[in-house]
Amino acid sequence: MIDLDAALFDLAEHLDHPAAEDLADVVLARVARGGTRSPRRMRALLAVAAAVVVLTAALLAIGPARHAIAEWLGIGAVEVRHSEGTVPPATGSNTVPGAPATGSVAPGPVVARQLGAARAAVKFEIATPRAPSAGALAGVEVDPRVRDGLVVLRYPRFTLVEIASRGENGPILLKLLGGLPVENVTVVGVPGLWISGAHEVGYVDRDGNVRTDTVRRSGPVLLWQRGNVTYRIEGLDHRADALAIARALG
Amino acid sequence: MNRSTDAELVTAARKGDLDAFTTLVGRYREPALRVAYGIAGGEAEDAVQNAFVKAYRGLEGFRADAAFRPWLFTIVANEARNSRRSWSRRNRLDLQVRREPQPAADAADQVAAVHEQRQRILDEVARLPDRYREVVALRYFAGLSEIETADALSCPRGTAKSRLSRALDMLRAALGEEVTL
């Protein structure tokens, strides 16, 4: 008597097919693109599709820095706005990409702890520092609310945020409230900014409203743009340290 | 190896955890491809891609207390059926029986015989009419239960059961008494 049942199960265990190995990557890339989301979620995402990064500060205004920002970032991808006063304290439950992970803050909208998944989920080449001093990559987060993607790479001493910043993203908004110490620096041949002192990061949505889900951060930031990507290094106290990491980006 | 249950991963993926969804894709990639090749031949890869993307999109409407696996394979089977083209003319699954690693000399004959037998069964599965090949692919290539198979085919359980029984009869008739596994 033929045990066809067992023979078919056995066959299934010994089947090969020509499908490509990267099927999961392709699926993730499609999932991360807007067209694959449900209408409900799509509407929510549209509200922040023009995702803009707001850097705010609560220190003294510095005119030249304001001018410098406009000069090096005012190239279509970035718009600089100014306002007086201070940013209200964080009240929202959503975090902003790149915000330091703290116990009181919920994780970002999309988390990918694998670099491979992150590479599939964003539309730009993710750069990682090739320097022993950077230490081992400790965490990866992706936020596709930013069109073409945003990735947060956590290292033991610092956090590196890479943001797709093509012109059609709409302006990346640097909102300086009052001002703070900002220095012009050269990062691997391109102009950048070293912002020291406490500041906050938040979103401005498509309607121009500042989202209140800001997270206070205290560390200085090195900020620069290369090609279609804006880079931000947070958490290093010394400018030379941050510049060394920036130079080590492959 | 991620030991989270499907339900845990689905819950996390619904909240936007791409890693959780990646784990689900990894968990069901192979059976999904086997089923899709069994149903759609060369169109299988696109069908499986589409199925996973649709599954992700559908997670929000997916009942948290429902089983993920039969739900996913319903989508896989639908996508595979939709992408099946000119099947009757091609009669090819694009599936192959995997070659075992080089066997020891004294076992070579037996290994070759087993391989040949698997290949004969696969050839006969490929010759089954669509509706019978579908039920075989879901039941055996994906390992679904008879009830899950019926759900995935969106047909009454009795229909799936009798179709499966008929498919096995056809295979037995075609294979004669050759199957000795």
Side-chain angles (χ1 to χ4, degrees):
Chain A
M1 183 64 192
I2 298 170
D3 188 354
L4 190 52
D5 222 42
L8 284 165
F9 281 125
D10 165 81
L11 173 63
E13 292 302 310
H14 294 86
L15 287 176
D16 262 349
H17 53 72
E21 284 297 316
D22 67 349
L23 184 134
D25 287 346
V26 174
V27 168
L28 283 176
R30 288 180 58 187
V31 158
R33 285 201 292 268
T36 58
R37 294 195 175 84
S38 67
R40 186 156 68 88
R41 181 171 289 186
M42 197 62 181
R43 277 196 297 278
L45 290 175
L46 280 175
V48 289
V52 279
V53 177
V54 186
L55 294 178
T56 63
L59 301 178
L60 295 173
I62 296 178
R66 182 185 300 178
H67 177 68
I69 294 169
E71 204 166 63
W72 78 266
L73 288 176
I75 48 176
V78 176
E79 177 185 326
V80 181
R81 293 183 191 172
H82 299 274
S83 63
E84 303 304 323
T86 56
V87 171
T91 54
S93 59
N94 295 329
T95 54
V96 166
T102 67
S104 63
V105 172
V110 173
V111 179
R113 281 172 292 274
Q114 297 157 357
L115 193 55
R119 287 194 199 283
V122 301
K123 285 191 180 172
F124 58 87
E125 195 70 29
I126 295 176
T128 54
R130 286 182 282 195
S133 63
L137 182 61
V140 181
E141 290 155 37
V142 172
D143 189 343
R145 290 185 304 185
V146 176
R147 191 184 301 170
D148 295 349
L150 177 154
V151 64
V152 179
L153 306 171
R154 296 192 190 283
Y155 287 86
R157 295 186 302 129
F158 63 91
T159 299
L160 170 63
V161 183
E162 303 181 15
I163 313 162
S165 49
R166 296 202 310 203
E168 61 262 36
N169 275 353
I172 286 178
L173 188 63
L174 295 181
K175 192 164 186 179
L176 299 180
L177 291 181
L180 78 171
V182 179
E183 297 170 58
N184 291 305
V185 291
T186 300
V187 186
V188 205
V190 301
L193 294 175
W194 174 251
I195 306 172
S196 51
H199 62 279
E200 292 178 337
V201 174
Y203 277 114
V204 168
D205 67 21
R206 178 162 276 188
D207 298 325
N209 300 315
V210 178
R211 289 166 67 87
T212 57
D213 51 358
T214 55
V215 175
R216 183 175 294 277
R217 63 190 60 236
S218 57
V221 164
L222 179 66
L223 185 70
W224 77 103
Q225 188 171 11
R226 188 177 72 188
N228 293 330
V229 183
T230 298
Y231 299 87
R232 203 164 79 216
I233 293 177
E234 305 166 358
L236 293 175
D237 290 336
H238 299 290
R239 197 176 69 178
D241 260 4
L243 287 169
I245 297 299
R247 279 194 295 274
L249 281 188
Chain B
M1 191 68 188
N2 192 315
R3 295 178 186 280
S4 303
T5 64
D6 283 1
E8 289 165 350
L9 292 169
V10 166
T11 301
R14 282 158 66 117
K15 291 175 183 162
D17 185 338
L18 272 189
D19 272 358
F21 188 69
T22 304
T23 302
L24 284 169
V25 173
R27 189 170 285 180
Y28 290 110
R29 175 187 191 277
E30 285 305 312
L33 283 166
R34 288 199 296 261
V35 164
Y37 276 107
I39 293 176
E43 311 295 332
E45 196 171 348
D46 282 351
V48 171
Q49 268 186 31
N50 291 339
F52 278 122
V53 171
K54 285 190 176 179
Y56 182 82
R57 185 170 58 189
L59 281 179
E60 281 191 51
F62 176 68
R63 272 185 18 247
D65 60 337
F68 176 74
R69 194 172 71 138
W71 178 73
L72 173 69
F73 279 98
T74 304
I75 303 173
V76 171
N78 278 336
E79 286 299 314
R81 286 160 136 182
N82 291 342
S83 61
R84 180 169 54 207
R85 295 189 194 117
S86 309
W87 173 265
S88 56
R89 288 199 301 277
R90 295 184 51 211
N91 235 21
R92 263 184 58 222
L93 291 177
D94 281 350
L95 282 169
Q96 292 183 326
V97 176
R98 190 166 52 243
R99 289 272 172 199
E100 297 295 325
Q102 195 64 34
D106 57 350
D109 287 353
Q110 192 193 343
V111 168
V114 168
H115 180 87
E116 197 175 318
Q117 191 165 78
R118 288 174 183 145
Q119 188 63 55
R120 273 204 303 272
I121 298 172
L122 179 60
D123 290 345
E124 292 307 328
V125 170
R127 289 193 188 97
L128 288 173
D130 287 348
R131 49 157 60 187
Y132 298 109
R133 211 176 51 256
E134 285 170 8
V135 76
V136 166
L138 287 163
R139 175 78 180 98
Y140 295 103
F141 293 180
L144 298 188
S145 69
E146 289 187 3
I147 291 172
E148 290 171 336
T149 300
D151 289 347
L153 290 172
S154 305
C155 72
R157 287 164 191 186
T159 305
K161 195 176 171 67
S162 63
R163 205 179 287 174
L164 186 63
S165 173
R166 174 78 182 120
L168 294 181
D169 285 346
M170 292 164 82
L171 288 174
R172 276 197 196 91
L175 291 163
E177 289 298 316
E178 295 169 5
V179 181
T180 54
L181 280 173

